[in-house]
Amino acid sequence: MSALEMPATLQLVIATFLLVGALVALIGSWGLAKLPDFYTRLHGPTKASTLGVGCTLIGSLLYFSHQQDGVSVQEALVTIFLFATAPVSAHMMGKAALRRRLTGVPGTKNPPER
């Protein structure tokens, strides 16, 4: 079965998931490069990795599930693993930054206590 035999609506849905995933990943990368301190930089990439890569994996899951006539287990497992581990890793990095007493940008509401 080729991509040409795929219904147009499914192609549109897959393309939408891939484009939204790429856009969110781009915004997260931009945030990582431009935000001023560790705490704000942590926020952008973690949201981007969860939502952007999640959308990309859902698009991939739909494509390969259609091509193989069944649910693609690999993409489903990667999605579940990503959604389970990304928030935990971000939380651990935030706790490590607080423990090391990294300073935030002056004027930040609720700065880390010294």
Side-chain angles (χ1 to χ4, degrees), residues 56-66 70-73 75-76 79:
T56 304
L57 286 171
I58 289 171
S60 176
L61 175 89
L62 291 173
Y63 177 78
F64 285 110
S65 294
H66 182 266
V71 176
S72 177
V73 177
E75 281 83 7
T79 304

Side-chain angles (χ1 to χ4, degrees), residues 64-95:
F64 285 110
S65 294
H66 182 266
Q67 295 296 316
Q68 299 172 356
D69 291 330
V71 176
S72 177
V73 177
Q74 290 90 358
E75 281 83 7
L77 288 175
V78 170
T79 304
I80 291 170
F81 181 76
L82 176 74
F83 286 159
T85 58
V88 173
S89 64
H91 178 74
M92 296 306 290
M93 286 190 282
K95 283 189 77 164

